[in-house]
């Protein structure tokens, strides 16, 4: 909110004006307060337009139209002075973000949120239509997300359905991208309630996908696609929701459901007085806006001159804290409603007056094939942020924003786009595995948003995608060195047998290939490699062949099921030498399928054990918060967040976040002592050093045996 200017009135229509919320070609909008203390957004017309008779008629119609709408989901008019020397209109002040901002900052909404939003806005439109009106400009910028639900705002272009138009019949009224086909082709003459339903369908599609259903670009091309092409509803996976929005976007007005029918058709609950149907990060954004302290002047005890003309008097300042959640008095159209009226666009800024809370992002598989890894990493990051926020000398406050990419490249790209456009996000920890990481590198690279992965172990990524990407985990090639040290650099081993099972995919191939290479090139030992096709069930002949070629150490590169089959086959022979498998096979299935044959097997892992001395404090904090021992990858994510926080702290000045490019450079030059290892980055922002950890199956369970053996390469 800006200070009042000398030319601004200090009072209008019984409202003490406290500051400017915005201004445009038609007038200004102020934050006002009544004598009773209620806040309002007060729209005041400029003097040059106040003398225009046609403009006064349109402004009078806006006020009358807004007053006729009776719905808890449409912003309420609290007063107007359409015949005053300076015409004005006051609405309740809703201190929440526009839907356009919420989607831009937090990303597309889930299906349940879309259904609830659609039902509440359908009720608002039903009230509009029942009052004999058509809104004509339903769009994300004209929906505010208040602490007790959404509000449809801005009836500036609303029209009485049987009224004589004040505009030419061929004039397109509304916002391209949300206009119905009949509005685009026939102009104002085609305006009807069905057009509002079409616009609502566009709005819901945007909220569900983060993009307009008919694309963007030049207005002519956008209108052409609206009239002639099918909407793009890709990314809306819920079949019922997709069908609903598709019906709303029917080219024929008569084929679309009415707003009242939508209310009946959508079965999702529409809770009054809560926003728990929205994602956590959107709820947090609403709460921050609802509870933001606004610097407001005190009320003068008496007014001696004409309140409509006197200049603002000097006044003491005080803070009024708007309570969050259900306690907020829904008191107005807010800066976001104001911005939409003044600028007529969907680019909503933050609008807040208090300091922003900076964010550490977590992009992870939280519900897909590697959900256990993703959840462990999310917990590690949250513990690091909790630890930072508990400091009495902390220079700023942080929060965690986690997005579930489900271990899929499409979900990964959407998550990366959400993080990249949220300017409060300082850095992101993730993704969980190689394919998703590969898919999102370009997005993070373009945004220069630091991305720190602790579990994507691919050996190499495209050079152009390395500007902001930090691989804070040893690659499979690097892990080959401590495996070599454990299996080959010992007096009783001369030949390493390597069983490469294609069922383990690319990661198994890299692990087996590089281990074979470095043993041959860096030691006086030899190897005997065997490759078996994916799906090979019987490994006893392969194991027998490895032993027949005098293999006195054994390494399996593959998946859990294959490692268990190899363990059983090896246990059926007289072999008693060292045996090892990839760390990715350390799971319940290996223990269950291998049974007693699992005893004695070992693994070299990037993950520190919960019983390691360096992890003592972290393990205790994890047990206190989550009630259990940390899973693999939790400590590594904790370290990654700590690395980022150390760099941010070093760069932050006067509670201002560092530029993303500066943060990338700082992380790249940092040395950080973590729970799992010491962190420093070399060429391509790859982790330096060979630190890894040794595990073994002892008494039927995986046990942490300590740091994996290191030697010079």
């Amino acid at each position: 909110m800006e200070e009042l200017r000398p030319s601004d009135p200090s009072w209008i229509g019984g409202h003490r004006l406290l500051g400017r919320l915005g201004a445009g070609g038609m007038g200004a909008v102020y934050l006002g307060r009544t004598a009773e203390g209620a806040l309002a957004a007060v729209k005041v017309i400029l003097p040059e337009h106040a003398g225009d008779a046609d403009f006064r008629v349109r402004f009078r119609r806006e006020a009358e139209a807004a007053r006729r709408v009776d719905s808890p989901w449409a912003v309420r008019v609290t007063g107007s002075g359409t015949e005053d020397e300076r015409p004005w209109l006051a609405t309740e002040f809703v201190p929440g973000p526009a839907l356009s901002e919420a989607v831009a900052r937090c990303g597309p909404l889930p299906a349940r949120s879309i259904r609830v939003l659609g039902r509440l806005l359908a009720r608002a439109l039903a009230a509009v239509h029942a009052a004999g009106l058509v809104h004509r400009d339903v769009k994300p910028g004209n929906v505010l997300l208040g602490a007790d639900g959404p509000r449809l705002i801005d009836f500036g272009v609303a029209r009485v359905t049987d009224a004589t138009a004040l505009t030419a019949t061929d004039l397109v009224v509304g916002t391209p991208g949300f206009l119905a086909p009949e509005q685009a082709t026939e102009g104002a003459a085609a305006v009807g309630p069905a057009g509002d339903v079409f616009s609502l369908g566009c709005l819901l599609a945007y909220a569900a996908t983060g993009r307009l259903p008919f694309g963007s670009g030049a207005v002519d091309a956008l209108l052409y696609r609206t009239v002639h092409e099918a909407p793009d509803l890709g990314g809306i996976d819920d079949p019922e929701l997709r069908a609903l929005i598709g019906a709303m976007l029917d080219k024929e007005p008569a084929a679309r459901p009415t707003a009242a029918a939508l209310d009946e058709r959508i079965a999702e609950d529409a809770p009054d007085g809560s926003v728990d149907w929205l994602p956590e990060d959107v709820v947090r954004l609403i709460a921050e806006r609802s509870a933001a302290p606004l610097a407001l002047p005190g009320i003068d005890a008496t007014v001696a001159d004409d309140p409509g003309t006197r200049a603002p008097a000097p006044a003491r300042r005080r803070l009024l804290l708007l309570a969050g959640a259900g306690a907020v008095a829904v008191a107005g159209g807010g800066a976001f409603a104001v911005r939409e009226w003044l600028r007529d666009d969907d680019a909503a800024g933050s609008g807040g007056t208090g300091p922003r809370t900076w964010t550490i992002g977590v992009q992870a598989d939280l519900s897909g094939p590697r959900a256990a890894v993703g959840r462990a990493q999310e917990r590690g990051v949250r513990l690091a942020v909790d630890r930072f926020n508990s400091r009495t000398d902390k220079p700023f406050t942080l929060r965690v924003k986690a997005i579930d990419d489900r271990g899929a490249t499409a979900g990964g790209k959407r998550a990366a786009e959400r993080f990249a456009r949220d300017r409060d996000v300082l850095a992101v920890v993730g993704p969980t595995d190689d394919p998703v990481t590969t898919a999102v590198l370009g997005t993070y690279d373009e945004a220069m948003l630091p991305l720190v992965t602790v579990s994507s172990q691919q050996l190499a990524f495209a050079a152009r995608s390395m500007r902001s990407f930090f691989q804070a985990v040893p690659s499979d090639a690097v892990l080959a060195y401590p495996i070599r040290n454990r299996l080959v650099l010992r007096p009783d081993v001369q030949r390493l047998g390597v069983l490469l099972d294609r069922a383990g995919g690319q990661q198994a191939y890299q692990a087996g290939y590089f281990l074979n290479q470095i043993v041959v090139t860096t030691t006086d030992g030899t190897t005997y490699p065997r490759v078996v096709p994916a799906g090979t069930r019987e490994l006893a002949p392969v194991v027998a062949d490895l032993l027949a070629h005098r293999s006195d150490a054994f390494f399996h590169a593959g998946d859990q099921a294959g490692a268990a089959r190899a363990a059983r086959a090896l246990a059926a022979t007289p072999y008693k030498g060292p045996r090892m498998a990839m760390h990715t096979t350390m799971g319940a299935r290996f223990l269950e399928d291998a049974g007693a044959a699992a005893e004695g097997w070992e693994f070299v892992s990037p993950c520190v054990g919960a019983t390691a001395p360096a992890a003592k404090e972290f393990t205790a904090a994890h047990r206190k918060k989550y009630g259990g021992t940390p899973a693999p990858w939790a400590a590594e994510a904790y370290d990654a967040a700590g690395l980022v926080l150390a760099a941010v702290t070093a760069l932050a000045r006067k509670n201002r976040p560092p530029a993303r490019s500066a943060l990338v450079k700082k992380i790249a030059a940092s040395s950080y002592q973590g729970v799992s290892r010491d962190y420093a980055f070399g060429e391509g922002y790859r982790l330096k050093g060979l630190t890894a950890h040794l595990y073994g199956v002892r008494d039927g369970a995986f046990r942490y045996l300590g740091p994996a053996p290191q030697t010079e390469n």
Side-chain angles (χ1 to χ4, degrees), residues 544-583:
D545 182 55
L546 287 165
L547 298 180
H549 283 80
R550 301 188 307 279
S551 297
D552 38 26
F554 186 91
F555 181 79
H556 178 271
D559 60 6
Q560 286 193 58
R565 286 194 291 271
R568 293 197 305 270
L570 200 60
T573 72
Y575 177 81
K576 301 299 182 186
R579 67 210 68 186
M580 186 175 286
M582 295 174 62
H583 68 92

Side-chain angles (χ1 to χ4, degrees), residues 30 36 79 83 155 171 182 198 204 209 231 272 298 311 418 475 547 579-580 651 664 677 709:
Y30 303 91
E36 293 77 22
E83 307 305 322
F155 293 84
L171 178 65
E182 63 271 20
F198 187 94
L204 295 180
T209 65
D272 293 335
R418 289 174 61 181
S475 69
L547 298 180
R579 67 210 68 186
M580 186 175 286
L651 292 175
V664 167
R677 59 178 51 85

Side-chain angles (χ1 to χ4, degrees), residues 450-527:
L451 178 68
V452 186
T453 184
V454 298
S455 57
S456 293
Q457 296 179 260
Q458 187 168 303
L459 176 62
F461 297 89
R464 68 175 183 84
S465 301
M466 299 298 289
R467 294 194 308 157
S468 64
F469 173 60
F470 295 88
Q471 193 175 21
V473 59
S475 69
D476 294 307
V478 170
L479 287 181
Y481 287 96
I483 293 172
R484 173 206 64 181
N485 298 345
R486 180 67 172 176
L487 289 180
V488 179
L489 298 186
R490 47 195 293 169
D492 58 337
V493 171
Q494 180 59 38
R495 173 168 290 183
L496 174 65
V498 179
L499 197 166
L500 201 164
D501 188 339
R502 288 289 196 176
Q506 183 68 15
Q507 190 170 13
Y509 176 80
Q510 288 186 4
Y513 174 82
F514 282 104
L515 178 61
N516 185 74
Q517 287 293 103
I518 68 166
V519 169
V520 172
T521 58
T522 66
T523 76
D524 58 1
T526 60
T527 64

